[in-house]
Structure formats: C-alpha cells, structure tokens
Amino acid sequence: MVKKVGVLSLAYCGGCEVALLSVGDMLEKIINGDISLEYCTIAVDNVEIPEVDVMLVTGAVRRQREEELVKIARDKAKVLVPFGSCACYGGIPGLLNLENIENVVQDK
C-alpha cells in the first residue's frame, strides 16, 4: 500500500527538507512508488495541505499563520511527526525566545 506523506515547513532554513529528500532510502521509496510525496513546499507544487497518512513538520512555530498551518496539518494527517531540531526543540528560530521582543523588533 502506498503511503501518502507530506512535509510541512514552518520557520526554518530548509536543511531538514534537503536532508530528507537526499536520503537514499526515502528517495528510492518515492521513485519506486512506495511513498507518494503529497505535500512539500520545496519539492511539490501543492498550495493546499491534503489528507495524508504521515505529515512531517519541520521548522518552528513563530507566527500565528504557522500555528494555523500546523493545526490544519494535524487535522489532515493520520500521524503528525515533528522532524528536526527546530520542530522538536525550537532550533535557531527558538533563540528569539531568549530575548525581549522590544530588543529585537524596532520601528525605524
């Protein structure tokens, strides 16, 4: 049975997606038709998040729109999996949590 997989990218650098797609086993399964990559903004031209078996989430939730997207993905995926240090621990985008927002955002 073909597994439908999606990759939702939030605040991120793109490294997880590149690493994921360059892994031989994953790429081989896509080519062989064992996995159908239904959603991945760097690889598939698909605007709406479709229903999938597994949705990998990369990047961190930094803005309200990203929160909305991850909630949509949660509703459309049978299994939602955080993938990479940003999704699991905040990564580089999470460093902003260590600062006072007024020190970071300035009106000029």
Side-chain angles (χ1 to χ4, degrees):
M1 181 165 115
V2 176
K3 292 287 184 187
K4 294 181 180 181
V5 176
V7 180
L8 176 64
S9 305
L10 304 174
Y12 73 113
C13 69
C16 290
E17 288 80 354
V18 171
L20 184 66
L21 293 175
S22 67
V23 172
D25 191 45
M26 173 77 156
L27 199 52
E28 183 180 334
K29 288 179 189 272
I30 292 170
I31 291 169
N32 290 338
D34 299 326
I35 292 176
S36 174
L37 189 59
E38 299 288 317
Y39 186 83
C40 180
T41 54
I42 70 165
V44 177
D45 187 19
N46 193 342
V47 177
E48 301 228 359
I49 298 173
E51 291 192 12
V52 294
D53 296 310
V54 178
M55 180 68 75
L56 301 174
V57 178
T58 66
V61 175
R62 295 297 315 158
R63 298 172 296 197
Q64 184 176 356
R65 178 62 182 148
E66 291 155 350
E67 181 181 355
E68 293 166 3
L69 287 171
V70 82
K71 286 179 179 178
I72 292 168
R74 179 189 62 201
D75 291 340
K76 294 206 173 189
K78 292 178 184 172
V79 177
L80 190 73
V81 180
F83 182 81
S85 67
C86 292
C88 295
Y89 307 108
I92 299 299
L95 291 175
L96 185 60
N97 295 333
L98 301 175
E99 285 293 324
N100 183 326
I101 194 67
E102 287 81 24
N103 294 338
V104 178
V105 178
Q106 299 174 358
D107 262 340
K108 291 191 181 196

